[in-house]
Amino acid sequence: MKTAATYDSEAGTFTIEKDKWRGTFSIADLPKWLHFYRQQQERYPAHAHSYGSDVEALEGLAVILACGQ
């Protein structure tokens, strides 16, 4: 399953969407969520691949934000 991460600059939030799950969080929490998904890969190596698209989507969003959109 592919994960999508989108940014709402007006609301100051980002949304993670994967399959039927969706969560919206403050953009200030982006590093925390990225850390969480990386930790999940380390904690559960047999399932690390299932967190790969989450990490990839959040890293991509972080790069976009760092470049000033």
Side-chain angles (χ1 to χ4, degrees):
M1 287 178 266
K2 186 79 171 154
T3 303
T6 55
Y7 176 53
D8 182 339
S9 60
E10 289 185 21
T13 61
F14 70 98
T15 299
I16 305 170
E17 191 168 357
K18 184 174 185 176
D19 195 27
K20 293 182 182 186
W21 183 87
R22 170 186 257 188
T24 299
F25 311 95
S26 169
I27 197 65
D29 291 336
L30 178 60
K32 179 177 80 172
W33 281 103
L34 186 50
H35 178 72
F36 168 78
Y37 284 112
R38 286 176 176 156
Q39 274 189 323
Q40 293 298 93
Q41 287 181 306
E42 293 173 15
R43 287 182 181 156
Y44 307 104
H47 303 287
H49 67 280
S50 67
Y51 298 104
S53 69
D54 304 318
V55 171
E56 183 179 307
L58 293 176
E59 285 177 338
L61 181 58
V63 167
I64 290 169
L65 294 174
C67 293
Q69 276 191 332

